[in-house]
Amino acid sequence: MAPPDERGITVTNADGLIDMYPDATERVFRALDMIRQTFSTTLPAIREVLEREMTLGNGKPGEMFMDNYRKPAVETFRYANQTPRVLDRYAQNGLGQVTEYRTADAKNAAGLRTQQPGN
């Protein structure tokens, strides 16, 4: 799913307020969730490659390489392992904000309609 052509949130408008385009914003957060799903699916394969790489290092050149490689590789995987949870939280929070925005917008629109003459 590609991100929308239009921006989902406009930070400044004529009133200095933030406007949300909920359809575009929802597409962005659904795309983020798809990225999370893909990342989660591929993470075990990344771990497998990393574990195989950790068995390298036979001989002096290999040991020197692994001395420099091991720490950043482990740190990278540690952060990669946290990424699905972070992406999930962002996607779910974003989708929740879209729902809240739509609910508030519908409530405000209904309130305006009741204020119209003849209602």
Side-chain angles (χ1 to χ4, degrees), residues 36-62:
R36 179 208 48 89
Q37 290 173 17
T38 301
F39 195 88
S40 295
T41 301
T42 58
L43 198 56
I46 294 169
R47 180 182 192 99
E48 183 179 318
V49 168
L50 180 63
E51 287 173 348
R52 272 192 262 133
E53 287 175 345
M54 292 300 162
T55 64
L56 300 174
N58 298 328
K60 233 7 169 183

PDB file of all heavy atoms in Angstrom, residues 36-62:
ATOM      1  N   ARG A  36       5.212  -3.029   9.504  1.00  0.00           N
ATOM      2  CA  ARG A  36       5.458  -3.775  10.749  1.00  0.00           C
ATOM      3  C   ARG A  36       5.267  -5.262  10.525  1.00  0.00           C
ATOM      4  O   ARG A  36       6.083  -6.081  10.966  1.00  0.00           O
ATOM      5  CB  ARG A  36       4.515  -3.294  11.859  1.00  0.00           C
ATOM      6  CG  ARG A  36       4.736  -4.087  13.150  1.00  0.00           C
ATOM      7  CD  ARG A  36       3.523  -4.179  14.035  1.00  0.00           C
ATOM      8  NE  ARG A  36       2.286  -4.558  13.421  1.00  0.00           N
ATOM      9  CZ  ARG A  36       1.846  -5.810  13.277  1.00  0.00           C
ATOM     10  NH1 ARG A  36       2.584  -6.830  13.638  1.00  0.00           N
ATOM     11  NH2 ARG A  36       0.674  -6.050  12.739  1.00  0.00           N
ATOM     12  N   GLN A  37       4.210  -5.632   9.816  1.00  0.00           N
ATOM     13  CA  GLN A  37       3.949  -7.049   9.561  1.00  0.00           C
ATOM     14  C   GLN A  37       5.076  -7.676   8.744  1.00  0.00           C
ATOM     15  O   GLN A  37       5.546  -8.775   9.060  1.00  0.00           O
ATOM     16  CB  GLN A  37       2.616  -7.215   8.835  1.00  0.00           C
ATOM     17  CG  GLN A  37       1.413  -6.893   9.701  1.00  0.00           C
ATOM     18  CD  GLN A  37       0.116  -6.908   8.913  1.00  0.00           C
ATOM     19  OE1 GLN A  37       0.040  -7.441   7.810  1.00  0.00           O
ATOM     20  NE2 GLN A  37      -0.924  -6.303   9.468  1.00  0.00           N
ATOM     21  N   THR A  38       5.516  -6.979   7.720  1.00  0.00           N
ATOM     22  CA  THR A  38       6.612  -7.482   6.884  1.00  0.00           C
ATOM     23  C   THR A  38       7.891  -7.613   7.700  1.00  0.00           C
ATOM     24  O   THR A  38       8.602  -8.624   7.617  1.00  0.00           O
ATOM     25  CB  THR A  38       6.835  -6.548   5.680  1.00  0.00           C
ATOM     26  OG1 THR A  38       5.627  -6.492   4.926  1.00  0.00           O
ATOM     27  CG2 THR A  38       7.973  -7.036   4.808  1.00  0.00           C
ATOM     28  N   PHE A  39       8.179  -6.600   8.484  1.00  0.00           N
ATOM     29  CA  PHE A  39       9.383  -6.619   9.315  1.00  0.00           C
ATOM     30  C   PHE A  39       9.327  -7.784  10.293  1.00  0.00           C
ATOM     31  O   PHE A  39      10.310  -8.501  10.479  1.00  0.00           O
ATOM     32  CB  PHE A  39       9.502  -5.284  10.059  1.00  0.00           C
ATOM     33  CG  PHE A  39      10.847  -5.044  10.653  1.00  0.00           C
ATOM     34  CD1 PHE A  39      11.850  -4.433   9.919  1.00  0.00           C
ATOM     35  CD2 PHE A  39      11.122  -5.425  11.958  1.00  0.00           C
ATOM     36  CE1 PHE A  39      13.100  -4.206  10.465  1.00  0.00           C
ATOM     37  CE2 PHE A  39      12.361  -5.207  12.516  1.00  0.00           C
ATOM     38  CZ  PHE A  39      13.365  -4.600  11.766  1.00  0.00           C
ATOM     39  N   SER A  40       8.165  -7.968  10.929  1.00  0.00           N
ATOM     40  CA  SER A  40       8.011  -9.067  11.894  1.00  0.00           C
ATOM     41  C   SER A  40       8.205 -10.423  11.238  1.00  0.00           C
ATOM     42  O   SER A  40       8.786 -11.331  11.832  1.00  0.00           O
ATOM     43  CB  SER A  40       6.621  -9.018  12.542  1.00  0.00           C
ATOM     44  OG  SER A  40       6.481  -7.850  13.306  1.00  0.00           O
ATOM     45  N   THR A  41       7.735 -10.556  10.010  1.00  0.00           N
ATOM     46  CA  THR A  41       7.854 -11.812   9.287  1.00  0.00           C
ATOM     47  C   THR A  41       9.304 -12.118   8.928  1.00  0.00           C
ATOM     48  O   THR A  41       9.734 -13.271   8.960  1.00  0.00           O
ATOM     49  CB  THR A  41       6.994 -11.765   8.005  1.00  0.00           C
ATOM     50  OG1 THR A  41       5.640 -11.523   8.391  1.00  0.00           O
ATOM     51  CG2 THR A  41       7.081 -13.058   7.223  1.00  0.00           C
ATOM     52  N   THR A  42      10.072 -11.088   8.591  1.00  0.00           N
ATOM     53  CA  THR A  42      11.452 -11.304   8.160  1.00  0.00           C
ATOM     54  C   THR A  42      12.445 -11.319   9.313  1.00  0.00           C
ATOM     55  O   THR A  42      13.577 -11.775   9.139  1.00  0.00           O
ATOM     56  CB  THR A  42      11.892 -10.229   7.152  1.00  0.00           C
ATOM     57  OG1 THR A  42      11.753  -8.946   7.758  1.00  0.00           O
ATOM     58  CG2 THR A  42      11.072 -10.299   5.888  1.00  0.00           C
ATOM     59  N   LEU A  43      12.057 -10.876  10.484  1.00  0.00           N
ATOM     60  CA  LEU A  43      12.977 -10.796  11.621  1.00  0.00           C
ATOM     61  C   LEU A  43      13.602 -12.144  11.984  1.00  0.00           C
ATOM     62  O   LEU A  43      14.805 -12.202  12.247  1.00  0.00           O
ATOM     63  CB  LEU A  43      12.276 -10.173  12.827  1.00  0.00           C
ATOM     64  CG  LEU A  43      13.163  -9.642  13.935  1.00  0.00           C
ATOM     65  CD1 LEU A  43      14.157  -8.610  13.400  1.00  0.00           C
ATOM     66  CD2 LEU A  43      12.311  -9.033  15.037  1.00  0.00           C
ATOM     67  N   PRO A  44      12.868 -13.255  12.009  1.00  0.00           N
ATOM     68  CA  PRO A  44      13.515 -14.537  12.317  1.00  0.00           C
ATOM     69  C   PRO A  44      14.646 -14.887  11.336  1.00  0.00           C
ATOM     70  O   PRO A  44      15.678 -15.420  11.741  1.00  0.00           O
ATOM     71  CB  PRO A  44      12.372 -15.553  12.239  1.00  0.00           C
ATOM     72  CG  PRO A  44      11.148 -14.756  12.552  1.00  0.00           C
ATOM     73  CD  PRO A  44      11.405 -13.400  11.934  1.00  0.00           C
ATOM     74  N   ALA A  45      14.459 -14.570  10.056  1.00  0.00           N
ATOM     75  CA  ALA A  45      15.519 -14.850   9.079  1.00  0.00           C
ATOM     76  C   ALA A  45      16.741 -13.978   9.342  1.00  0.00           C
ATOM     77  O   ALA A  45      17.879 -14.425   9.210  1.00  0.00           O
ATOM     78  CB  ALA A  45      15.003 -14.620   7.663  1.00  0.00           C
ATOM     79  N   ILE A  46      16.500 -12.729   9.746  1.00  0.00           N
ATOM     80  CA  ILE A  46      17.610 -11.838  10.088  1.00  0.00           C
ATOM     81  C   ILE A  46      18.373 -12.405  11.279  1.00  0.00           C
ATOM     82  O   ILE A  46      19.599 -12.430  11.294  1.00  0.00           O
ATOM     83  CB  ILE A  46      17.095 -10.420  10.389  1.00  0.00           C
ATOM     84  CG1 ILE A  46      16.502  -9.788   9.127  1.00  0.00           C
ATOM     85  CG2 ILE A  46      18.206  -9.539  10.969  1.00  0.00           C
ATOM     86  CD1 ILE A  46      15.731  -8.512   9.384  1.00  0.00           C
ATOM     87  N   ARG A  47      17.637 -12.884  12.271  1.00  0.00           N
ATOM     88  CA  ARG A  47      18.273 -13.465  13.455  1.00  0.00           C
ATOM     89  C   ARG A  47      19.106 -14.692  13.081  1.00  0.00           C
ATOM     90  O   ARG A  47      20.220 -14.874  13.571  1.00  0.00           O
ATOM     91  CB  ARG A  47      17.223 -13.840  14.495  1.00  0.00           C
ATOM     92  CG  ARG A  47      17.839 -14.437  15.733  1.00  0.00           C
ATOM     93  CD  ARG A  47      16.787 -14.867  16.757  1.00  0.00           C
ATOM     94  NE  ARG A  47      17.446 -15.156  17.988  1.00  0.00           N
ATOM     95  CZ  ARG A  47      17.526 -14.330  19.013  1.00  0.00           C
ATOM     96  NH1 ARG A  47      16.974 -13.160  18.959  1.00  0.00           N
ATOM     97  NH2 ARG A  47      18.166 -14.676  20.103  1.00  0.00           N
ATOM     98  N   GLU A  48      18.560 -15.508  12.199  1.00  0.00           N
ATOM     99  CA  GLU A  48      19.282 -16.715  11.776  1.00  0.00           C
ATOM    100  C   GLU A  48      20.604 -16.348  11.094  1.00  0.00           C
ATOM    101  O   GLU A  48      21.644 -16.952  11.382  1.00  0.00           O
ATOM    102  CB  GLU A  48      18.406 -17.526  10.821  1.00  0.00           C
ATOM    103  CG  GLU A  48      19.016 -18.831  10.384  1.00  0.00           C
ATOM    104  CD  GLU A  48      18.087 -19.580   9.454  1.00  0.00           C
ATOM    105  OE1 GLU A  48      16.872 -19.621   9.721  1.00  0.00           O
ATOM    106  OE2 GLU A  48      18.592 -20.125   8.457  1.00  0.00           O
ATOM    107  N   VAL A  49      20.582 -15.364  10.219  1.00  0.00           N
ATOM    108  CA  VAL A  49      21.806 -14.922   9.546  1.00  0.00           C
ATOM    109  C   VAL A  49      22.798 -14.385  10.571  1.00  0.00           C
ATOM    110  O   VAL A  49      23.993 -14.709  10.540  1.00  0.00           O
ATOM    111  CB  VAL A  49      21.492 -13.855   8.474  1.00  0.00           C
ATOM    112  CG1 VAL A  49      22.769 -13.182   7.973  1.00  0.00           C
ATOM    113  CG2 VAL A  49      20.722 -14.476   7.321  1.00  0.00           C
ATOM    114  N   LEU A  50      22.316 -13.574  11.493  1.00  0.00           N
ATOM    115  CA  LEU A  50      23.194 -13.008  12.521  1.00  0.00           C
ATOM    116  C   LEU A  50      23.823 -14.108  13.366  1.00  0.00           C
ATOM    117  O   LEU A  50      25.021 -14.067  13.652  1.00  0.00           O
ATOM    118  CB  LEU A  50      22.413 -12.039  13.415  1.00  0.00           C
ATOM    119  CG  LEU A  50      23.194 -11.368  14.525  1.00  0.00           C
ATOM    120  CD1 LEU A  50      24.302 -10.493  13.954  1.00  0.00           C
ATOM    121  CD2 LEU A  50      22.273 -10.546  15.405  1.00  0.00           C
ATOM    122  N   GLU A  51      23.032 -15.105  13.745  1.00  0.00           N
ATOM    123  CA  GLU A  51      23.577 -16.195  14.552  1.00  0.00           C
ATOM    124  C   GLU A  51      24.643 -16.978  13.781  1.00  0.00           C
ATOM    125  O   GLU A  51      25.654 -17.371  14.351  1.00  0.00           O
ATOM    126  CB  GLU A  51      22.448 -17.117  15.021  1.00  0.00           C
ATOM    127  CG  GLU A  51      21.607 -16.480  16.112  1.00  0.00           C
ATOM    128  CD  GLU A  51      20.383 -17.300  16.488  1.00  0.00           C
ATOM    129  OE1 GLU A  51      20.033 -18.260  15.761  1.00  0.00           O
ATOM    130  OE2 GLU A  51      19.762 -16.955  17.511  1.00  0.00           O
ATOM    131  N   ARG A  52      24.422 -17.163  12.474  1.00  0.00           N
ATOM    132  CA  ARG A  52      25.443 -17.838  11.664  1.00  0.00           C
ATOM    133  C   ARG A  52      26.698 -16.985  11.561  1.00  0.00           C
ATOM    134  O   ARG A  52      27.810 -17.504  11.609  1.00  0.00           O
ATOM    135  CB  ARG A  52      24.901 -18.163  10.279  1.00  0.00           C
ATOM    136  CG  ARG A  52      24.209 -19.520  10.265  1.00  0.00           C
ATOM    137  CD  ARG A  52      23.922 -19.990   8.857  1.00  0.00           C
ATOM    138  NE  ARG A  52      22.527 -19.642   8.582  1.00  0.00           N
ATOM    139  CZ  ARG A  52      22.097 -19.044   7.483  1.00  0.00           C
ATOM    140  NH1 ARG A  52      22.902 -18.750   6.517  1.00  0.00           N
ATOM    141  NH2 ARG A  52      20.834 -18.757   7.337  1.00  0.00           N
ATOM    142  N   GLU A  53      26.523 -15.683  11.422  1.00  0.00           N
ATOM    143  CA  GLU A  53      27.683 -14.799  11.325  1.00  0.00           C
ATOM    144  C   GLU A  53      28.513 -14.844  12.606  1.00  0.00           C
ATOM    145  O   GLU A  53      29.726 -14.680  12.567  1.00  0.00           O
ATOM    146  CB  GLU A  53      27.248 -13.362  11.043  1.00  0.00           C
ATOM    147  CG  GLU A  53      26.766 -13.149   9.634  1.00  0.00           C
ATOM    148  CD  GLU A  53      26.234 -11.755   9.398  1.00  0.00           C
ATOM    149  OE1 GLU A  53      25.965 -11.033  10.371  1.00  0.00           O
ATOM    150  OE2 GLU A  53      26.077 -11.386   8.229  1.00  0.00           O
ATOM    151  N   MET A  54      27.866 -15.047  13.722  1.00  0.00           N
ATOM    152  CA  MET A  54      28.582 -15.070  14.996  1.00  0.00           C
ATOM    153  C   MET A  54      29.493 -16.296  15.122  1.00  0.00           C
ATOM    154  O   MET A  54      30.334 -16.350  16.003  1.00  0.00           O
ATOM    155  CB  MET A  54      27.606 -15.038  16.177  1.00  0.00           C
ATOM    156  CG  MET A  54      26.869 -13.743  16.314  1.00  0.00           C
ATOM    157  SD  MET A  54      27.989 -12.374  16.568  1.00  0.00           S
ATOM    158  CE  MET A  54      26.937 -11.014  16.166  1.00  0.00           C
ATOM    159  N   THR A  55      29.312 -17.268  14.250  1.00  0.00           N
ATOM    160  CA  THR A  55      30.192 -18.443  14.289  1.00  0.00           C
ATOM    161  C   THR A  55      31.459 -18.223  13.458  1.00  0.00           C
ATOM    162  O   THR A  55      32.350 -19.064  13.463  1.00  0.00           O
ATOM    163  CB  THR A  55      29.461 -19.698  13.779  1.00  0.00           C
ATOM    164  OG1 THR A  55      29.123 -19.511  12.404  1.00  0.00           O
ATOM    165  CG2 THR A  55      28.215 -19.975  14.598  1.00  0.00           C
ATOM    166  N   LEU A  56      31.516 -17.116  12.727  1.00  0.00           N
ATOM    167  CA  LEU A  56      32.721 -16.791  11.962  1.00  0.00           C
ATOM    168  C   LEU A  56      33.838 -16.419  12.927  1.00  0.00           C
ATOM    169  O   LEU A  56      33.612 -16.191  14.103  1.00  0.00           O
ATOM    170  CB  LEU A  56      32.453 -15.614  11.015  1.00  0.00           C
ATOM    171  CG  LEU A  56      31.374 -15.818   9.976  1.00  0.00           C
ATOM    172  CD1 LEU A  56      31.131 -14.524   9.223  1.00  0.00           C
ATOM    173  CD2 LEU A  56      31.761 -16.930   9.021  1.00  0.00           C
ATOM    174  N   GLY A  57      35.003 -16.290  12.408  1.00  0.00           N
ATOM    175  CA  GLY A  57      36.084 -15.798  13.260  1.00  0.00           C
ATOM    176  C   GLY A  57      37.181 -16.803  13.494  1.00  0.00           C
ATOM    177  O   GLY A  57      37.956 -16.674  14.426  1.00  0.00           O
ATOM    178  N   ASN A  58      37.256 -17.829  12.678  1.00  0.00           N
ATOM    179  CA  ASN A  58      38.354 -18.786  12.807  1.00  0.00           C
ATOM    180  C   ASN A  58      39.633 -18.120  12.315  1.00  0.00           C
ATOM    181  O   ASN A  58      39.661 -17.480  11.292  1.00  0.00           O
ATOM    182  CB  ASN A  58      38.069 -20.044  11.982  1.00  0.00           C
ATOM    183  CG  ASN A  58      36.829 -20.750  12.490  1.00  0.00           C
ATOM    184  OD1 ASN A  58      36.546 -20.706  13.676  1.00  0.00           O
ATOM    185  ND2 ASN A  58      36.103 -21.380  11.599  1.00  0.00           N
ATOM    186  N   GLY A  59      40.655 -18.261  13.070  1.00  0.00           N
ATOM    187  CA  GLY A  59      41.928 -17.659  12.685  1.00  0.00           C
ATOM    188  C   GLY A  59      42.021 -16.217  13.159  1.00  0.00           C
ATOM    189  O   GLY A  59      41.055 -15.606  13.583  1.00  0.00           O
ATOM    190  N   LYS A  60      43.208 -15.654  13.105  1.00  0.00           N
ATOM    191  CA  LYS A  60      43.463 -14.310  13.614  1.00  0.00           C
ATOM    192  C   LYS A  60      42.671 -13.228  12.878  1.00  0.00           C
ATOM    193  O   LYS A  60      42.055 -12.383  13.516  1.00  0.00           O
ATOM    194  CB  LYS A  60      44.954 -14.018  13.512  1.00  0.00           C
ATOM    195  CG  LYS A  60      45.720 -13.553  14.711  1.00  0.00           C
ATOM    196  CD  LYS A  60      44.995 -13.560  15.974  1.00  0.00           C
ATOM    197  CE  LYS A  60      45.947 -13.337  17.124  1.00  0.00           C
ATOM    198  NZ  LYS A  60      45.269 -13.408  18.388  1.00  0.00           N
ATOM    199  N   PRO A  61      42.659 -13.214  11.530  1.00  0.00           N
ATOM    200  CA  PRO A  61      41.889 -12.170  10.851  1.00  0.00           C
ATOM    201  C   PRO A  61      40.398 -12.237  11.190  1.00  0.00           C
ATOM    202  O   PRO A  61      39.752 -11.223  11.396  1.00  0.00           O
ATOM    203  CB  PRO A  61      42.128 -12.440   9.364  1.00  0.00           C
ATOM    204  CG  PRO A  61      43.396 -13.217   9.305  1.00  0.00           C
ATOM    205  CD  PRO A  61      43.429 -14.025  10.573  1.00  0.00           C
ATOM    206  N   GLY A  62      39.857 -13.458  11.244  1.00  0.00           N
ATOM    207  CA  GLY A  62      38.448 -13.624  11.584  1.00  0.00           C
ATOM    208  C   GLY A  62      38.148 -13.168  12.998  1.00  0.00           C
ATOM    209  O   GLY A  62      37.129 -12.531  13.259  1.00  0.00           O
TER     210      GLY A  62
END
